Amino acid sequence: MTTPTRIQLPTDPIVGTDAAFMAQAVEAADQARYRSSPNPWVGAVVVSAGRVVGTGATRPPGGAHAEVVALAAAGDAARGGTLYTTLEPCCHQGRTGPCTTAIVEAGIDRVVIAVADPDSDVSGGGVSALAEADIEVEVGVGVGDVEEQLRPYLHHRRTGLPYVVLKLAATLDGRIAATDRSSTWITGDEARQDVHRLRAQSDAICVGAGTVRADDPRLTVRDWNEAEAFGARDPRRVVLGAIPDGAQVEPAHSHEGPLEGLLADLGGDGVLQLLVEGGADVAGRFHRAGLVDRYVIYLAPAILGGDDSVPMMAGPGSSTMADVARGRFTAVSRLGDDLRIDMVPDPRPGQ
């Protein structure tokens, strides 16, 4: 298998639009999704005379940003060319030097940016630095795709909190465990691999102490075939409540207290995405508190039937239809015999 970091450059000239070249930058950014956090996963493409001469993606923390990687790949061919980048280039000294300086020194004439960076250290400063160097700058090309791709990062920078994904695997009648509380293998192999890919995309994973006692999960990334190729890492593990001695989830953080405090702590520690895997009590708590930013539900073609099996969420629900929590489906995909449904909730009053 070709590793995602090995980028093939075209040998023939490519005449494309800004949108087409930005799409290549978006594709490059996918390569960095599993290894760049807490930095954003960014892709960049350098084009000269209608030909892609350099492609780059963000390296792991402490490594070069996407723009610098792309410029290094382009070399002297970057002079007089156009740089396409999915996120506004940084203009400050961090673990690495400012990308804007590298762009100016490379002799780039034009920079096309999908999304402005809401980070307080950048936030328009990158665009201003480039404009002051007489580089033409355009912002907004491919903005929809990149805002979706960078949703956890953008949410974190705007709120200081992690982007919360609530994952549930259920039967068609909305049950996550049988009467005897057994819950293994509700979904098939393809769905389980997708869950592990979702874990690899997350900086932290959260379950309740009851789930740890009942299932003794590891909460690691292991059942995803491409994990090693993408450089995927295990998320940090968080347990709501006391962790039993000898639990496989260790090392893990035990949290007692309000969920809002947990999110504030994780956000302050650079966690961009938190994956909540349940069980039913934890799912209900996050849902009722209005803390879920995306619901990912895996539905199996199976029916438990009856009201004595375990529902997706425990605790009180909406008392009337007027109070029901609504949202919109953003994706529906088939995984073997199962379905994955992504839903983003509508803002609640006061949010």
Side-chain angles (χ1 to χ4, degrees):
M1 177 181 294
T2 301
T3 63
T5 55
R6 192 176 304 147
I7 300 169
Q8 300 295 325
L9 296 180
T11 56
D12 298 322
I14 297 176
V15 177
T17 63
D18 283 347
F21 288 129
M22 184 61 74
Q24 293 185 56
V26 171
E27 184 177 353
D30 280 336
Q31 302 174 7
R33 177 67 176 90
Y34 304 91
R35 63 180 187 270
S36 68
S37 185
N39 294 330
W41 37 101
V42 177
V45 170
V46 179
V47 175
S48 179
R51 178 175 179 269
V52 175
V53 295
T55 304
T58 307
R59 298 278 174 80
H65 292 183
E67 300 91 332
V68 174
V69 176
L71 291 170
D76 292 339
R79 191 161 299 278
T82 299
L83 172 72
Y84 295 83
T85 180
T86 57
L87 186 68
E88 180 180 5
C90 67
C91 54
H92 63 286
Q93 179 68 46
R95 293 180 180 177
T96 61
C99 289
T100 51
T101 300
I103 293 169
V104 173
E105 291 177 348
I108 289 289
D109 281 353
R110 179 171 177 255
V111 175
V112 180
I113 301 167
V115 175
D117 193 340
D119 189 289
S120 59
D121 287 329
V122 185
S123 192
V127 171
S128 296
L130 295 173
E132 289 171 3
D134 293 326
I135 294 176
E136 180 186 348
V137 181
E138 182 173 353
V139 181
V141 175
V143 60
D145 289 340
V146 175
E147 282 193 341
E148 180 60 28
Q149 185 181 55
L150 281 175
R151 185 70 61 194
Y153 170 79
L154 298 173
H155 175 85
H156 179 270
R157 289 304 191 268
R158 289 166 179 161
T159 67
L161 302 173
Y163 186 76
V164 177
V165 177
L166 174 59
K167 166 259 163 182
L168 294 162
T171 59
L172 194 59
D173 53 341
R175 300 288 161 164
I176 65 171
T179 305
D180 64 359
R181 295 309 191 255
S182 59
S183 61
T184 53
W185 316 133
I186 287 180
T187 54
D189 290 343
E190 291 186 35
R192 288 197 294 275
Q193 280 207 37
D194 195 68
V195 170
H196 281 255
R197 183 177 66 86
L198 187 58
R199 286 181 179 180
Q201 292 176 342
S202 304
D203 302 292
I205 184 170
C206 176
V207 299
T211 294
V212 175
R213 289 191 296 271
D215 300 335
D216 195 19
R218 285 178 280 174
L219 304 182
T220 56
V221 178
R222 59 190 184 278
D223 291 337
W224 178 40
N225 293 337
E226 297 180 290
E228 184 176 352
F230 277 90
R233 301 167 295 184
D234 289 333
R236 68 176 72 181
R237 294 172 285 274
V238 178
V239 176
L240 300 182
I243 303 173
D245 292 339
Q248 292 189 103
V249 74
E250 292 281 21
H253 170 71
S254 174
H255 176 79
E256 305 276 359
L259 297 177
E260 290 84 355
L262 171 64
L263 296 187
D265 290 344
L266 292 176
D269 204 21
V271 170
L272 304 185
Q273 179 166 298
L274 171 67
L275 177 62
V276 179
E277 286 209 12
D281 178 64
V282 171
R285 288 175 61 190
F286 271 92
H287 170 74
R288 285 189 296 275
L291 300 176
V292 180
D293 299 301
R294 181 181 296 267
Y295 297 81
V296 176
I297 300 175
Y298 297 87
L299 283 181
I303 297 175
L304 276 168
D307 58 5
D308 52 353
S309 50
V310 182
M312 288 195 287
M313 297 181 189
S318 301
S319 57
T320 69
M321 286 303 296
D323 296 330
V324 69
R326 295 190 180 273
R328 58 185 175 86
F329 294 135
T330 59
V332 178
S333 56
R334 184 168 180 170
L335 298 166
D337 292 332
D338 306 311
L339 294 178
R340 169 175 164 164
I341 301 174
D342 287 40
M343 188 190 92
V344 173
D346 291 336
R348 298 191 180 189
Q351 287 186 331

